[in-house]
Amino acid sequence: MNVKYINPFLEGTIEVLKTMAFVDPRPGKPYLKKNNLAKGDVSGIIGITGTIKGSLALSFSTGSILKIVSNMLGEEITSLNGEIRDAVGEITNMVSGAARKKIEVMGYSLSASLPTVVSGEDHSIMHVLGGPSIVIPFDMDEGPFVVDISMGDPQ
Amino acid sequence: MDVNKKIKILVVDDFATMRKVIRNLLKQSGYENITEAEDGVVAMNMLKSTKIDFVISDWNMPNMTGIELLKAVRSDNELGSMPFLMVTAESLKDNVVEAVKAGVSNYIVKPFTAEVLGEKIDKILENIK
């Protein structure tokens, strides 16, 4: 996967979470992931089509997503309920939109599918193109989360 | 210019959480009179049976999308001039053109702050005064 796609997803994630959830996640060093195990407790995944095909997943630890969704809704959420799943889908959708906008500036035309949300211990993330994927780790005081991306070559 | 913050706003989105998020942002902008619908069909029924002053609608929804709802509103004799703010996760040029052609009052791309949402609504209300 071309590394030039990393920054749009990194910046898109920070932009969405800063704007909608008033949090400032700290990005770590991206690395290659060779299996399909999710890094978090709840994950949103969305397919990307157009000039470049691929998929994006956001996988949150319980602590990080409870803080994010509590801030988004303006009320304290204490467990991984339906609202959390709903919000993870919406956040994934928004990050995909923000990142695609940045990639489109490079001259590509992209669209996205509807997001799906998976949760539970040791759940997996199945990328459209299969593995490996690139993981951008983020840290918050309440816990970590990752952005897991797999993008092919332009068609 | 002062705008009426007491207007009744209909928020249309298939994601319950997103409706709650928008409700939260509207409250931060001073708008408290808010009602909700989960898709365009439900929204259209509410618009015909309840007094609504302003519509904020998501673009992507099952049953009746935001653009279909906008077209239905604009072609209705009684609802034709309803202020209509479209919300979407992407700013695709084709979508913007389609929405403008269909008579959208304004357009907002997610993510957005309470401040930006409030400014868009205020501007639409000022323009129809």
Side-chain angles (χ1 to χ4, degrees), chain A residues 64-87:
Chain A
S64 66
I65 197 62
L66 289 180
K67 174 68 178 173
I68 288 165
V69 181
S70 295
N71 281 7
M72 281 173 75
L73 301 184
E75 61 186 63
E76 201 183 346
I77 310 286
T78 54
S79 64
L80 294 184
N81 57 17
E83 282 187 320
I84 296 280
R85 292 175 61 87
D86 219 11

Short mmCIF file of all heavy atoms in Angstrom, two decimals, chain A residues 64-87:
data_model
loop_
_atom_site.label_atom_id
_atom_site.label_comp_id
_atom_site.label_asym_id
_atom_site.label_seq_id
_atom_site.Cartn_x
_atom_site.Cartn_y
_atom_site.Cartn_z
N SER A 64 -11.57 4.39 25.38
CA SER A 64 -11.51 5.48 24.40
C SER A 64 -12.89 5.78 23.81
O SER A 64 -13.29 6.93 23.71
CB SER A 64 -10.50 5.15 23.29
OG SER A 64 -10.92 4.06 22.51
N ILE A 65 -13.64 4.73 23.47
CA ILE A 65 -14.92 4.98 22.79
C ILE A 65 -15.97 5.51 23.77
O ILE A 65 -16.84 6.32 23.39
CB ILE A 65 -15.42 3.73 22.01
CG1 ILE A 65 -16.50 4.13 20.99
CG2 ILE A 65 -15.94 2.64 22.93
CD1 ILE A 65 -16.06 5.08 19.92
N LEU A 66 -15.90 5.09 25.03
CA LEU A 66 -16.86 5.64 26.01
C LEU A 66 -16.66 7.14 26.16
O LEU A 66 -17.62 7.91 26.23
CB LEU A 66 -16.70 4.94 27.37
CG LEU A 66 -17.19 3.48 27.46
CD1 LEU A 66 -16.96 2.93 28.86
CD2 LEU A 66 -18.66 3.36 27.07
N LYS A 67 -15.39 7.57 26.20
CA LYS A 67 -15.09 9.00 26.32
C LYS A 67 -15.56 9.76 25.07
O LYS A 67 -16.21 10.81 25.16
CB LYS A 67 -13.57 9.18 26.51
CG LYS A 67 -13.09 10.61 26.50
CD LYS A 67 -13.59 11.37 27.71
CE LYS A 67 -13.06 12.81 27.73
NZ LYS A 67 -13.67 13.58 28.81
N ILE A 68 -15.24 9.19 23.89
CA ILE A 68 -15.59 9.85 22.63
C ILE A 68 -17.10 10.03 22.49
O ILE A 68 -17.60 11.12 22.22
CB ILE A 68 -15.01 9.05 21.43
CG1 ILE A 68 -13.49 9.20 21.38
CG2 ILE A 68 -15.63 9.48 20.11
CD1 ILE A 68 -12.78 8.20 20.48
N VAL A 69 -17.85 8.94 22.72
CA VAL A 69 -19.30 9.01 22.52
C VAL A 69 -19.97 9.85 23.61
O VAL A 69 -20.92 10.60 23.33
CB VAL A 69 -19.92 7.60 22.41
CG1 VAL A 69 -21.42 7.69 22.18
CG2 VAL A 69 -19.27 6.84 21.27
N SER A 70 -19.47 9.76 24.84
CA SER A 70 -20.02 10.60 25.91
C SER A 70 -19.89 12.07 25.53
O SER A 70 -20.83 12.86 25.70
CB SER A 70 -19.29 10.35 27.23
OG SER A 70 -19.51 9.04 27.67
N ASN A 71 -18.74 12.44 25.00
CA ASN A 71 -18.54 13.85 24.58
C ASN A 71 -19.45 14.21 23.41
O ASN A 71 -19.99 15.31 23.35
CB ASN A 71 -17.08 14.08 24.18
CG ASN A 71 -16.18 14.26 25.38
OD1 ASN A 71 -16.61 14.08 26.52
ND2 ASN A 71 -14.92 14.60 25.14
N MET A 72 -19.60 13.28 22.46
CA MET A 72 -20.44 13.57 21.29
C MET A 72 -21.90 13.80 21.68
O MET A 72 -22.58 14.65 21.12
CB MET A 72 -20.38 12.41 20.28
CG MET A 72 -19.14 12.39 19.42
SD MET A 72 -19.04 10.89 18.42
CE MET A 72 -20.25 11.20 17.15
N LEU A 73 -22.38 13.00 22.63
CA LEU A 73 -23.80 13.06 23.00
C LEU A 73 -24.07 14.06 24.11
O LEU A 73 -25.23 14.39 24.39
CB LEU A 73 -24.31 11.68 23.43
CG LEU A 73 -24.22 10.55 22.41
CD1 LEU A 73 -24.84 9.29 22.96
CD2 LEU A 73 -24.90 10.94 21.11
N GLY A 74 -23.02 14.51 24.78
CA GLY A 74 -23.22 15.43 25.89
C GLY A 74 -23.81 14.75 27.11
O GLY A 74 -24.46 15.38 27.94
N GLU A 75 -23.62 13.44 27.23
CA GLU A 75 -24.08 12.70 28.42
C GLU A 75 -23.14 11.52 28.66
O GLU A 75 -22.53 11.02 27.69
CB GLU A 75 -25.51 12.19 28.24
CG GLU A 75 -25.68 11.25 27.08
CD GLU A 75 -27.15 10.88 26.83
OE1 GLU A 75 -27.93 11.79 26.52
OE2 GLU A 75 -27.48 9.68 26.93
N GLU A 76 -23.02 11.09 29.91
CA GLU A 76 -22.04 10.04 30.20
C GLU A 76 -22.57 8.65 29.82
O GLU A 76 -23.63 8.23 30.27
CB GLU A 76 -21.67 10.07 31.68
CG GLU A 76 -20.34 9.36 31.90
CD GLU A 76 -19.94 9.28 33.36
OE1 GLU A 76 -20.55 9.99 34.18
OE2 GLU A 76 -19.04 8.48 33.66
N ILE A 77 -21.82 7.96 29.00
CA ILE A 77 -22.17 6.58 28.61
C ILE A 77 -21.17 5.67 29.34
O ILE A 77 -19.96 5.91 29.28
CB ILE A 77 -22.04 6.38 27.08
CG1 ILE A 77 -22.78 7.48 26.30
CG2 ILE A 77 -22.52 5.00 26.67
CD1 ILE A 77 -24.26 7.41 26.30
N THR A 78 -21.67 4.62 29.98
CA THR A 78 -20.78 3.82 30.82
C THR A 78 -20.59 2.39 30.32
O THR A 78 -19.82 1.63 30.90
CB THR A 78 -21.30 3.77 32.28
OG1 THR A 78 -22.65 3.32 32.24
CG2 THR A 78 -21.25 5.14 32.93
N SER A 79 -21.32 1.99 29.28
CA SER A 79 -21.12 0.62 28.76
C SER A 79 -21.24 0.60 27.25
O SER A 79 -21.79 1.52 26.64
CB SER A 79 -22.15 -0.33 29.38
OG SER A 79 -23.43 0.04 28.97
N LEU A 80 -20.72 -0.48 26.65
CA LEU A 80 -20.75 -0.60 25.18
C LEU A 80 -22.16 -0.98 24.73
O LEU A 80 -22.45 -2.15 24.48
CB LEU A 80 -19.75 -1.65 24.71
CG LEU A 80 -18.26 -1.36 24.92
CD1 LEU A 80 -17.40 -2.45 24.31
CD2 LEU A 80 -17.87 -0.01 24.34
N ASN A 81 -23.05 0.01 24.63
CA ASN A 81 -24.44 -0.26 24.27
C ASN A 81 -24.70 0.04 22.79
O ASN A 81 -23.78 0.28 22.01
CB ASN A 81 -25.37 0.58 25.17
CG ASN A 81 -25.05 2.07 25.06
OD1 ASN A 81 -24.39 2.50 24.11
ND2 ASN A 81 -25.52 2.85 26.01
N GLY A 82 -25.96 0.02 22.42
CA GLY A 82 -26.35 0.26 21.03
C GLY A 82 -25.93 1.64 20.53
O GLY A 82 -25.59 1.82 19.36
N GLU A 83 -25.98 2.62 21.42
CA GLU A 83 -25.59 3.98 21.02
C GLU A 83 -24.11 4.02 20.63
O GLU A 83 -23.72 4.73 19.72
CB GLU A 83 -25.84 4.96 22.18
CG GLU A 83 -27.30 5.33 22.31
CD GLU A 83 -27.54 6.43 23.32
OE1 GLU A 83 -26.88 6.39 24.37
OE2 GLU A 83 -28.39 7.28 23.06
N ILE A 84 -23.31 3.24 21.35
CA ILE A 84 -21.87 3.19 21.03
C ILE A 84 -21.68 2.58 19.65
O ILE A 84 -20.94 3.12 18.81
CB ILE A 84 -21.10 2.34 22.08
CG1 ILE A 84 -21.16 3.00 23.46
CG2 ILE A 84 -19.67 2.08 21.63
CD1 ILE A 84 -20.20 4.13 23.69
N ARG A 85 -22.38 1.49 19.38
CA ARG A 85 -22.24 0.83 18.07
C ARG A 85 -22.66 1.79 16.95
O ARG A 85 -22.01 1.91 15.93
CB ARG A 85 -23.09 -0.44 18.02
CG ARG A 85 -22.58 -1.55 18.94
CD ARG A 85 -23.54 -2.73 18.93
NE ARG A 85 -23.68 -3.31 17.60
CZ ARG A 85 -22.88 -4.25 17.11
NH1 ARG A 85 -21.91 -4.74 17.87
NH2 ARG A 85 -23.06 -4.73 15.91
N ASP A 86 -23.79 2.47 17.18
CA ASP A 86 -24.31 3.44 16.24
C ASP A 86 -23.28 4.54 15.98
O ASP A 86 -23.01 4.92 14.83
CB ASP A 86 -25.55 4.08 16.91
CG ASP A 86 -26.68 4.32 15.94
OD1 ASP A 86 -26.58 3.82 14.81
OD2 ASP A 86 -27.65 5.01 16.31
N ALA A 87 -22.69 5.02 17.07
CA ALA A 87 -21.71 6.11 16.96
C ALA A 87 -20.44 5.65 16.26
O ALA A 87 -19.86 6.41 15.46
CB ALA A 87 -21.37 6.66 18.34
#
